Amino acid sequence: MILSSNRLALPRRRWLLGAAALPAALLLPGCGSSPEVGSCLGPDEEVPEPEPPRLPRGARVRPKMPREGRYFEDQSPAVSPDGTLIAACEAPDRYQLDLADTHGVLLWDTRTGEIVRRLKPRAIGPLAWHPGGTRLAVGDALHVAEVDVEGALLRNLVGNADPRGTAARILDVAYNPDGSLLAASASDGAVRLYSTSADSCTGTRVLTPGTRRQRTVEFSPDGSRLATGGVELTDADEGGEPTCLWDPHSGRREEVLDRVDGVVLGLGYSGDGALIQVLDDPSSLTVQAPDGATSTGPPVDAARFRDLAVGAGSRVAVLSASGTLQLWDRDSDEQETLEMSLLERICWSPDEATLYTLSESEGISAWDGTEWRQFELP
């Protein structure tokens, strides 16, 4: 086990009018209609700072207190393309309580379950592995950090605006299949695309799916489409916008999937190009085949939806806050339900042989179809 004992170095920050304040102004009524394309900063450049929240006069806020037993952030873990490593973001709680020397992104060996490295990317949020397995993208409030597998910060991707009425945060990140593009959805309502390589980075396009925040971004297996959609469960009562399919190279919206009923809570592509969506009403899975044909999968507990994991083959897993983990094989139509507790997120291994789960208090566990295996806690 290799763990650094140095305290987490806090990023140096300053106000960036070009990268943060101006896009926020452009989103205000009468100040323009198009948010700015993102840009890239070197590892030694300062990243933008979110504006302090503006509260109504007389409003009282109960501070969120750190908890001793909270080890991890409520973000989906990510398995490396070769299946040998799994990454998850530590929560700062134990560091704030002086129970840990530092915190960051942990990497485990999936064979042994042992922690092998802690990365400190100056960001704690949604994760995505580069298809080459050499680096990760980690979202934060207003930026996305790219860090290599040894822990070196490569660059920070910026341009996300401070939204009005909600906290600034990156909601999801995804690389396209050849690793040349990275998509980041943010709480300002925009999805920004960046061209990235080992040596260079530039913002390319910004997509504006609508006024609703897009919880998920996902590239199709051939890279020709980028799906944006899904809302936080707490936003479902306010309605949502249908999933949109974009050409990531031209930035053109190619299709709006408005032929399904209900609000889309989660989505993901399988390896054959089928798009799987979780709907709240009716509570079910829908499958859109590459040719556009739509079918319905088994009912799910969407009223308490937590996470969706779509494997590279035919397997689908849906997690609910009630502790129900539903597994479905699209090819055989075989279904299985596991009753779990204290789970927040799920993901499949690349070969679909293992389902990984994340608990804020218990960390990573692996299920191989017959038994559970608990990974090392920091």
Side-chain angles (χ1 to χ4, degrees), residues 274-277 285-289 293-297 328 330:
L275 181 66
I276 318 297
Q277 300 183 89
L285 288 167
T286 65
V287 181
Q288 175 164 310
T294 302
S295 58
T296 301
W328 176 43
R330 293 170 44 230

Side-chain angles (χ1 to χ4, degrees), residues 16-375:
L16 296 180
L17 295 179
L22 183 55
L26 289 173
L27 292 175
L28 297 178
C31 294
S33 58
S34 299
E36 278 196 343
V37 171
S39 58
C40 305
L41 301 177
D44 297 323
E45 296 183 82
E46 297 161 343
V47 295
E49 174 77 22
E51 291 185 9
R54 298 178 181 179
L55 301 175
R57 181 175 297 179
R60 302 178 66 182
V61 178
R62 179 179 297 176
K64 184 178 180 181
M65 303 302 294
R67 293 184 282 116
E68 178 179 347
R70 184 170 182 258
Y71 285 83
F72 296 97
E73 287 288 319
D74 182 9
Q75 299 286 348
S76 295
V79 183
S80 62
D82 64 2
T84 61
L85 296 171
I86 186 169
C89 288
E90 288 181 285
D93 298 48
R94 293 177 59 81
Y95 173 71
Q96 293 168 346
L97 294 171
D98 289 328
L99 298 174
D101 292 328
T102 186
H103 68 99
V105 177
L106 288 184
L107 301 182
W108 289 262
D109 183 315
T110 56
R111 183 181 61 83
T112 65
E114 295 181 350
I115 298 169
V116 296
R117 193 170 299 114
R118 176 184 277 120
L119 313 180
K120 301 180 185 177
R122 304 181 182 180
I124 299 294
L127 296 166
W129 280 91
H130 185 272
T134 57
R135 62 185 190 268
L136 295 99
V138 189
D140 197 73
L142 288 176
H143 75 283
V144 178
E146 274 197 302
V147 60
D148 72 21
V149 74
E150 298 299 326
L153 178 64
L154 302 176
R155 59 183 69 95
N156 289 305
L157 285 53
V158 299
N160 301 287
D162 256 310
R164 301 182 66 181
T166 187
R169 64 190 178 108
I170 302 299
L171 302 176
D172 197 17
V173 290
Y175 285 100
N176 72 340
D178 67 9
S180 62
L181 286 177
L182 184 141
S185 63
S187 55
D188 67 357
V191 175
R192 288 174 176 82
L193 295 172
Y194 302 84
S195 174
T196 68
S197 69
D199 304 318
S200 65
C201 173
T202 184
T204 60
R205 300 192 180 278
V206 57
L207 313 180
T208 52
T211 56
R212 301 293 300 166
R213 292 180 293 167
Q214 305 299 299
R215 181 171 180 263
T216 304
V217 289
E218 182 98 3
F219 284 96
S220 61
D222 63 2
S224 66
R225 293 291 181 268
L226 174 68
T228 63
V231 301
E232 301 285 359
L233 185 58
T234 53
D235 296 335
D237 290 342
E238 301 176 19
E241 296 186 8
T243 298
C244 295
L245 303 183
W246 305 76
D247 181 327
H249 300 288
S250 69
R252 184 172 58 248
R253 181 162 48 192
E254 299 288 351
E255 189 175 359
V256 178
L257 306 184
D258 54 4
R259 291 170 293 176
V260 297
D261 297 324
V263 176
V264 178
L265 300 177
L267 59 89
Y269 274 107
S270 64
D272 63 0
L275 181 66
I276 318 297
Q277 300 183 89
V278 178
L279 304 179
D280 77 324
D281 187 18
S283 297
S284 63
L285 288 167
T286 65
V287 181
Q288 175 164 310
D291 63 3
T294 302
S295 58
T296 301
V300 296
D301 185 10
R304 303 193 67 188
F305 172 75
R306 290 292 312 208
D307 203 11
L308 168 70
V310 180
S314 61
R315 306 194 73 183
V316 178
V318 180
L319 175 67
S320 73
S322 61
T324 301
L325 184 56
Q326 296 174 254
L327 307 178
W328 176 43
D329 190 304
R330 293 170 44 230
D331 287 345
S332 66
D333 201 33
E334 181 180 348
Q335 300 175 39
E336 184 175 2
T337 300
L338 304 174
E339 296 299 329
M340 307 299 298
S341 62
L342 302 176
L343 295 184
E344 275 75 43
R345 300 292 172 180
I346 52 178
C347 67
W348 288 104
S349 62
D351 62 2
E352 294 187 327
T354 304
L355 181 69
Y356 295 99
T357 66
L358 174 71
S359 163
E360 288 185 348
S361 58
E362 298 180 359
I364 297 288
S365 298
W367 182 74
D368 63 4
T370 58
E371 62 181 7
W372 288 94
R373 182 163 52 95
Q374 183 74 36
F375 281 26

